[in-house]
């Protein structure tokens, strides 16, 4: 929304032209500007811990992107093999399930730092800034407790999976292995939630 508003404010409009070349150049200009704004939209914490947390969350998100790309390629090659050679990749759905779980967990810390969580704000839209910050701090604290609880339960789950040697049905892939990056992601999410909670509290008290 902010990117679209910025583009509208700067009057990036397509002028009528009989030249297809000029039209394509205009479209390309809009797309390139949108991409530049997307890439350059960074969180800029004003403290060392915040910058380290931001950088770590970005690395986790990049890792999740590669994992998601891997899942997409697995699906493409499996469908291609099924259609052309009548031989899909064995256990493709198992790999996609594991990859999607790891990828989603990897995106959560950065999503929280960028305030990317979906919220319904039609009730709070007219509240003062301090009241909104107070609500945000409460939600961050609750989110932190939930993320910490999930992390602790997943540690116990991974331990049980390892002890009993749980494996996937077709590939016999150890189920406890994908738990490790997801646990790391949720621990990072917990830290991010506590960090944003402190930031919001500081904004309320004026620090």
């Amino acid at each position: 929304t902010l990117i679209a508003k910025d583009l509208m404010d700067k009057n990036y409009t397509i002028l009528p032209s009989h030249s297809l070349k000029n039209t394509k150049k205009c479209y390309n200009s809009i797309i390139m500007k949108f991409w530049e704004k997307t890439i350059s939209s960074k969180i800029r914490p004003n403290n060392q811990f915040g910058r380290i947390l931001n950088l770590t969350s970005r690395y986790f998100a990049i890792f999740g992107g590669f994992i998601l790309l891997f899942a997409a390629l697995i699906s493409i090659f499996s469908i291609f093999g099924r259609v052309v050679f009548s031989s899909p990749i064995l256990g493709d759905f198992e790999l996609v399930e594991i990859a999607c779980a790891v990828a989603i967990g990897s995106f959560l810390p950065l999503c929280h730092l960028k305030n990317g969580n979906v919220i319904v704000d039609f009730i709070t839209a007219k509240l003062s800034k301090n009241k909104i910050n107070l609500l945000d701090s409460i939600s961050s604290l609750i989110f932190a407790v939930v993320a910490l609880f999930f992390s602790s339960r997943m540690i116990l789950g991974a331990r049980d999976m390892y002890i009993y040697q749980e494996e996937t049905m077709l590939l016999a892939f150890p189920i406890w292995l994908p738990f490790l990056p997801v646990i790391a992601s949720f621990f990072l999410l917990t830290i991010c939630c506590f960090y944003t909670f402190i930031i919001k509290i500081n904004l309320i008290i004026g620090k």
Side-chain angles (χ1 to χ4, degrees):
T1 303
L2 292 177
I3 295 172
K5 184 179 182 300
D6 184 75
L7 293 177
M8 292 175 65
D9 290 342
K10 293 185 178 180
N11 296 323
Y12 290 96
T13 55
I14 300 175
L15 298 176
S17 174
H18 298 290
S19 171
L20 180 60
K21 184 178 180 180
N22 290 338
T23 304
K24 286 183 178 180
K25 286 176 64 178
C26 200
Y27 274 117
N28 290 337
S29 175
I30 294 174
I31 293 172
M32 288 302 296
K33 190 63 181 179
F34 177 83
W35 181 249
E36 288 173 5
K37 292 290 292 183
T38 303
I39 293 299
S40 62
S41 59
K42 299 179 180 179
I43 310 164
R44 296 180 177 85
N46 55 6
N47 58 78
Q48 185 67 22
F49 181 77
R51 286 190 288 270
I52 294 174
L53 197 61
N54 172 41
L55 187 62
T56 306
S57 299
R58 287 184 180 277
Y59 284 140
F60 268 70
I62 292 172
F63 170 74
F66 280 114
I67 294 296
L68 204 59
L69 178 62
F70 170 76
L73 291 176
I74 288 292
S75 296
I76 291 171
F77 287 125
S78 182
I79 293 171
F80 180 80
R82 187 190 306 273
V83 173
V84 178
F85 304 109
S86 297
S87 177
I89 296 176
L90 179 66
D92 56 345
F93 64 91
E94 294 179 350
L95 293 174
V96 171
E97 285 177 357
I98 292 172
C100 287
V102 173
I104 291 172
S106 301
F107 295 143
L108 290 177
L110 186 61
C111 177
H112 184 74
L113 283 181
K114 290 176 68 69
N115 292 322
N117 299 310
V118 177
I119 59 174
V120 180
D121 60 351
F122 66 90
I123 297 177
T124 62
K126 295 183 179 180
L127 294 179
S128 66
K129 192 66 176 177
N130 276 344
K131 290 180 180 179
I132 293 176
N133 286 333
L134 177 61
L135 292 175
D136 287 342
S137 65
I138 294 173
S139 65
S140 291
L141 182 60
I142 295 174
F143 201 179
V145 173
V146 172
L148 182 60
F149 175 76
F150 281 0
S151 302
S152 61
R153 301 310 299 177
M154 282 190 290
I155 290 175
L156 298 177
R159 186 193 64 179
D160 289 343
M161 297 284 183
Y162 178 76
I163 291 174
Y164 296 107
Q165 293 297 303
E166 291 280 345
E167 298 176 339
T168 59
M169 184 180 300
L170 298 178
L171 296 176
F173 186 82
I175 297 180
W176 64 271
L177 280 177
F179 271 71
L180 302 182
V182 177
I183 291 171
S185 297
F186 268 83
F187 265 120
L188 181 59
L189 174 62
T190 302
I191 298 172
C192 291
C193 291
F194 280 119
Y195 173 76
T196 54
F197 168 72
I198 295 173
I199 292 296
K200 294 297 182 181
I201 292 297
N202 287 337
L203 289 175
I204 294 172
I205 63 179
K207 286 189 177 181

